[in-house]
Amino acid sequence: MSSSAKSSKNAAPESSHWVRRFLIKTAVFFAGLGLCGALLGTLALALAWPNLPDLSAMIDYRPRVPLRIYTADKVLIGEFGEERRNVLRFNEIPDVMKSAILAAEDDRFYQHSGIDWMGVGRAALANMVSMAKTQGASTITMQVARNFYLSSEKTYTRKFYELLLTFKIEATLSKNEILDLYMNQIYLGHRSYGFAAASRTYFGKPLPDITLAEAAMLAGIPKAPSRFNPIANLSRAKSRQMYVLGRMRDLGYITPEEYQQAAAQPIVLKSAPGTPAGGYAIHAEYAAELARQLLFTVYQDNIYSRGFNIYTTIDSKEQQQAYEAVRNGILDYTRRAPYPGPEETIDLPDGIENNAEQFDAVLEKIQDKYRDSDDLLVGLVLSAAPDKIVVARSPEQIVEITDKSALKVVARGLAKNAKADVRISRGSVVYVRKNGDAWELLNRPSVQAAFVALRPQDGAIRAMVGGFDFEEQFNRVTQAWRQPGSAFKPFIYASALERGMTPATQVSDEPFRLTAEQTGSKAWEPKNYGNTYEPMLTLREGLYKSKNMVSIRIMQAVGPQYVQDYITRFGFERARNPAVLPLALGAGGVTPLQLAGGYSVFANGGYRVPPYLIDRVTDADGKVIMQAKPVVAGDAAARVIDPRTAYVMNDIMRGIARQGTAARLARDLKRPDVGGKTGTTNDSHDAWFAGFTPNIVGVAWMGFDQPRSLGSRETGGGASLPIWLDYMRVALKDQPIAEPGPLPEGLTREGGDFYFAEFPPGKAVARVGLPSPEELMLNGQIPQGATPSGAAPAGGSDGIGALLDQLGGGGPSYGPAPEAAQPQRVQF
């Protein structure tokens, strides 16, 4: 034998020996690794298992009854709580619903022990093939564990606890009990929890009454509740429904004939009365949220599970009309304003609308980013020309905008030379709305508005709308501090009546100016609207025409400090309304609710009745646990102004509704008992209308959240008065006309105007800011450069100091005594 052969023969055993040693070492390594893993797993299990939650909440499942909020006429407007559901026992849930759920979510539910390892393998293989997460392997038990006890954060620790809790649930509860819990607590979109609640939300019927087709559609929702519910997207929900029906057929739950019948059945969406789907029977979100906040201050988080019922002062019919009035007012302004362009424009491939699946994916992405707002709907432009715009809402719903008036609103976006950010073209994301029989294209409004209505006898809030929609949850009725502009002038004029002026007092309307030395800052030279002036006007005419110069001179004569003290009687805050002359033009700060409360004092004869929203609260058994006790007009302790002042201001403001800046009121409503005042601030940042009858007060406001001009031609009469009118046409429809009533004691009418007993003709202030009679007679005209601050009773011209000394006595006093305050300055 050669040496090479011997060497080869010896090498073979050595190589084999080395391989065996490697395999043994490898086996020992992995065995050790496995043992370490087992030890670590055992340790982790030992530490985690005792920390798993007790299952008593599942075993003794008692759904917490939510907080529900109603109008005064018992219409549901809000529901708050962790669980909004209608609970059914397992045997009350129809078998067709159970079969649909198992087919859609977990067909091996009764075979596995909580984790479907076959499903895990199948999902892993499918995800590897597609290189994306196309399938999941979450079982019904795992979903129950997650929904009852665990957060939705995606961490390995949470997943580990989920697996352990899944095993614990399976070891403690029967399969039927687990499925029962799942069907009663899973979230199914539109604030519906459980299939019984979802059946009422989407089909308006009890769960036992649903058909196979409806059960399959409901069973398809849990995969993605926000996208697969039929209200959000019927086409996607239908696609998911067909998948569930196919699974039911393949698993033998239904026959091919039943499959065909269910597939062909039309789906009719109908929400049961009082369900939250797409909103409630009426839009009262702002009132419901405010009521929730008010009760929360008393009971904190306990309000969400104890079955409390709040009954508000809201009237459902008036509330819905207020909601529509605010939206119509905002949309009317949006049509008047220059079209700002689409929300954005995307690159939309040619012909993609012919591929329903791809086009639906594009629309889904857009509709996830931009939200519908009631009847203002998101769409994607397919083509745009000056005479027609084609917009897709879904692959099946294509709308055409051809109405000339609608196209005129967006004409600047259709012009050949339109700027890129304004141009409407293929791929533009826009909002469309059905306006009568025709469609229109609008941008989502950036302007906002608010409206509130009160009952002046006790301050009960009848309607409240805090904005265009409730998305931002910012209630402009209670939270927006804005300058009231000329809507504040009636309070200035009222203070003047109690200081000796009358509706016939003559006031200079000539231009007014304060120097920098007088203001301590910079010169102030206010203007009248339209920059028009008259030599003089009566106090009544000054308010009719809303003349700024007249208001300034009245406040200067009465005294800024007195005015500041006086307006606090109406509920306005001293700190937000400094004692300076710009306050005469409404340069302070109020909320719409405050302004409505202030006007209530005029409407009810001089009583301050703080607004309130909650009439009573009951517990789950219907027992009243809270009852409102509002201040009522007529209570002597609530009187804050002289009844004569209230009477005269009512008369003046009814005149404004006939022949002043709000002359449209009498023409449209044909009622002599309506009064009010428009308000427009500098550069039209805020537009107001505050109006009332003896039985109802309403305030409408419009402006931008970040103050900027509404437009040089926008005023309270044009922007906010229409909102007020839309509401009042309904609120006043069946109310009889209220007569003015007899003159209060101490008030007389002479020469067509009113005088207080302590300020009769000859003692009342005859003129403010005007020259003396002798000067008026000089050359038969008013001399130029007359003092802006003179005020005199008839027959004299003693100046402001002597005048106020003379008027210091007399007359009854109402409201809090004027408080001492340090002189204040503002930057003009």
Side-chain angles (χ1 to χ4, degrees), residues 492 495 552 554-567 574 577-584 800 804 824:
I492 309 298
S495 72
I552 291 169
I554 288 174
M555 182 167 175
Q556 189 182 44
V558 173
Q561 187 61 62
Y562 180 86
V563 170
Q564 186 192 41
D565 295 333
Y566 186 78
I567 64 171
R574 181 185 304 276
N577 296 278
V580 290
L581 289 181
L583 185 61
I800 188 69
L804 295 183
Q824 299 183 54

Side-chain angles (χ1 to χ4, degrees), residues 750-795:
E750 296 186 31
D753 248 315
F754 299 100
Y755 293 88
F756 288 10
E758 61 271 30
F759 303 120
K763 287 192 67 177
V765 176
R767 60 188 182 278
V768 173
L770 289 170
S772 67
E774 292 78 10
E775 292 173 312
L776 286 170
M777 295 176 63
L778 181 64
N779 298 323
Q781 63 181 4
I782 298 176
Q784 296 296 315
T787 174
S789 60

